[in-house]
Amino acid sequence: MLDDPGRMADIAETAEKDAALPPTAIAGISGYTGLRLLPMLPESPGGDVRLLMRPSTARKDPWRTDPRTISVDLLDEKALEPALRGVEVIVCLVGTTRAQFRDATATEPAVSYENVDIGIPRALARAGKKAGCKRFVLLSSWGIESSPGAYPSAKRAAEDAVKTSGLAWVMVRPSFIVGEGRAAPKALDVVWAPVRLFAKGFADDARSIDAKDLARAIRRLTLSNEWDGQTLAGRTLHALAGA
Ligand SMILES: NC(=O)c1ccc[n+]([C@@H]2O[C@H](COP(=O)([O-])OP(=O)(O)OC[C@H]3O[C@@H](n4cnc5c(N)ncnc54)[C@H](OP(=O)(O)O)[C@@H]3O)[C@@H](O)[C@H]2O)c1
């Protein structure tokens, strides 16, 4: 049934999966958004996709046996540089929350906004520049421009670090990322529905985005440099996901 939208999306996704990605390194594939991007990536050893993750995660299934996995301290620029050699596009999906903060251990650095939300994209961008990478796609967040607080300011610092790295960049700023097990903020979308009548663009930026749609948009941004130098919020991301 070619008029079945679900079937059409599956066909489009299969065709996209087969489209050649440039050599790409992804950090944060094990997260909520990353796991939705994973099935959209080429699996063949011929496709150059590298999944960069911290050693404690790389030791777990399914990453342990995935030939694309690279176990690396994502804050260590010297270790990242060889891992990024030959890569064209860096995609960074990492982030943490206050609830996950913890002190450094003997084997891993502290978990904080400073280390994870700022330090990792900054280290990736600096090492990527030295390694000869060309572009950086950063998953940031909507509403960070002028909001006070540690999280928005960390996201702003991360964006600045990528923008000043010398790499071409795209900033991806979704509002709430929803999907299975994460539906709650979607309820807020009713707040934006009336706003949409007179400010469609703003309301589309504010409303939640399904993680699978977001992953589809990120994959398109990895494939094409058409949006380089742009900061993309919901209105563009929803369109890219459905295009
Ligand atoms: N959730 C939302 O509604 C929302 C909205 C707008 C923007 N964002 C932003 O979007 C990004 C992705 O969100 P998400 O919900 O998909 O994230 P998530 O499920 O929390 O996943 C976070 C990813 O970051 C990695 N990570 C965290 N701490 C790390 C560390 N210390 N070292 C190495 N890797 C680390 C995790 O790897 P491990 O498996 O090793 O832990 C995981 O792959 C984040 O930057 C977030 O701030 C989220």
Side-chain angles (χ1 to χ4, degrees), residues 1-81:
M1 277 261 300
L2 279 180
D3 55 354
D4 173 348
R7 174 89 183 109
M8 293 288 282
D10 285 348
I11 291 170
E13 215 156 85
T14 306
E16 286 221 329
K17 188 173 168 178
D18 292 342
L21 271 189
T24 301
I26 304 169
I29 198 74
S30 55
Y32 192 82
T33 309
L35 289 173
R36 274 78 189 166
L37 179 62
L38 186 66
M40 301 174 194
L41 299 175
E43 284 158 26
S44 71
D48 191 354
V49 171
R50 305 179 198 177
L51 308 176
L52 273 45
M53 61 191 79
R54 53 177 155 176
S56 57
T57 300
R59 280 194 293 273
K60 294 180 193 157
D61 286 327
W63 317 112
R64 198 172 54 84
T65 53
D66 191 321
R68 299 168 297 180
T69 296
I70 295 182
S71 173
V72 63
D73 175 352
L74 292 165
L75 280 167
D76 183 344
E77 290 175 39
K78 284 208 164 65
L80 285 170
E81 203 183 316

Side-chain angles (χ1 to χ4, degrees), residues 95-102 111-113 117 149-152:
T96 195
T97 55
R98 223 173 250 289
Q100 297 173 77
F101 281 12
R102 60 161 197 264
V111 176
S112 61
Y113 288 141
D117 290 78
Y151 175 77

Side-chain angles (χ1 to χ4, degrees), residues 2 9 11 27 29 34 47 88-89 100 102 116 126 142 150 166 176 190 194:
L2 279 180
I11 291 170
I29 198 74
E88 205 167 296
V89 188
Q100 297 173 77
R102 60 161 197 264
V116 180
R126 284 182 182 162
W142 183 70
F176 294 110
V190 292

Side-chain angles (χ1 to χ4, degrees), residues 87-171:
V87 163
E88 205 167 296
V89 188
I90 300 167
V91 179
C92 181
L93 312 174
V94 302
T96 195
T97 55
R98 223 173 250 289
Q100 297 173 77
F101 281 12
R102 60 161 197 264
D103 293 336
T105 65
T107 51
E108 285 198 356
V111 176
S112 61
Y113 288 141
E114 178 59 37
N115 273 349
V116 180
D117 290 78
I118 307 174
I120 290 176
R122 183 174 55 207
L124 283 166
R126 284 182 182 162
K129 180 65 184 165
K130 286 192 191 142
C133 302
K134 302 278 179 267
R135 307 176 55 233
F136 199 115
V137 179
L138 178 66
L139 181 49
S140 182
S141 184
W142 183 70
I144 60 163
E145 312 73 73
S146 51
S147 312
Y151 175 77
S153 89
K155 291 303 195 194
R156 287 196 297 269
E159 290 193 359
D160 287 346
V162 171
K163 285 179 182 176
T164 54
S165 68
L167 297 173
W169 52 265
V170 190
M171 299 301 154

